[in-house]
Amino acid sequence: MDLLSEDRLARMSPVEKVRFIIDEVKNGKILVLERGLSPEEEANLIEMTMTQIAPDEFSGIEMETYPAHETKSFLGKLFNKGPKGRLTLIGPADQLKTLKKDRDMITALVSSNK
């Protein structure tokens, strides 16, 4: 399991982030991102993952994110570049299963069996 800081991901372009995540998950790693991906990055990750699924090789990804904090002020909403999740858990779909998720807790089962 790798814990990735917001700073490390901020140094990557959106394409580099998606490529990095897919490569790590294909190698069986579970990633915990300190700061989640943008909605566009999540969509690109899912789209690229779907093109790489192959029976007996890569089963895809499981991804869960805490919901973002809502911006209450008008100026905060005006200048916000879109919500990002607070923390994201990503892993191979055949090894990671989300059991429960709510606003403050994600419960997941991690299996070493493929």
Side-chain angles (χ1 to χ4, degrees):
M1 181 182 301
D2 287 347
L3 307 171
L4 299 170
S5 72
E6 179 179 5
D7 293 339
R8 178 166 181 186
L9 291 177
R11 293 190 300 261
M12 296 180 191
S13 72
V15 172
E16 289 173 323
K17 285 181 201 177
V18 169
R19 182 79 257 152
F20 172 78
I21 290 168
I22 290 175
D23 289 345
E24 293 296 297
V25 172
K26 282 176 99 173
N27 288 326
K29 287 194 178 175
I30 295 172
L31 305 175
V32 179
L33 311 182
E34 176 183 20
R35 182 75 171 174
L37 302 172
S38 71
E40 295 82 17
E41 291 168 338
E42 282 189 15
N44 289 338
L45 176 61
I46 293 167
E47 182 179 335
M48 186 175 274
T49 299
M50 295 302 288
T51 65
Q52 298 196 20
I53 292 175
D56 299 327
E57 290 180 29
F58 181 56
S59 62
I61 64 169
E62 175 83 11
M63 177 171 53
E64 285 297 342
T65 301
Y66 287 125
H69 290 293
E70 293 295 323
T71 303
K72 305 269 191 250
S73 72
F74 173 74
L75 289 176
K77 290 179 182 177
L78 184 63
F79 293 109
N80 191 1
K81 295 182 181 179
K84 283 190 170 184
R86 296 185 287 161
L87 181 130
T88 301
L89 177 66
I90 305 172
D94 60 353
Q95 295 177 348
L96 182 65
K97 178 170 175 53
T98 302
L99 301 176
K100 179 182 170 191
K101 175 186 164 188
D102 62 32
R103 179 135 195 90
D104 297 315
M105 188 168 85
I106 297 171
T107 303
L109 176 65
V110 178
S111 167
S112 61
N113 298 335
K114 287 190 176 186

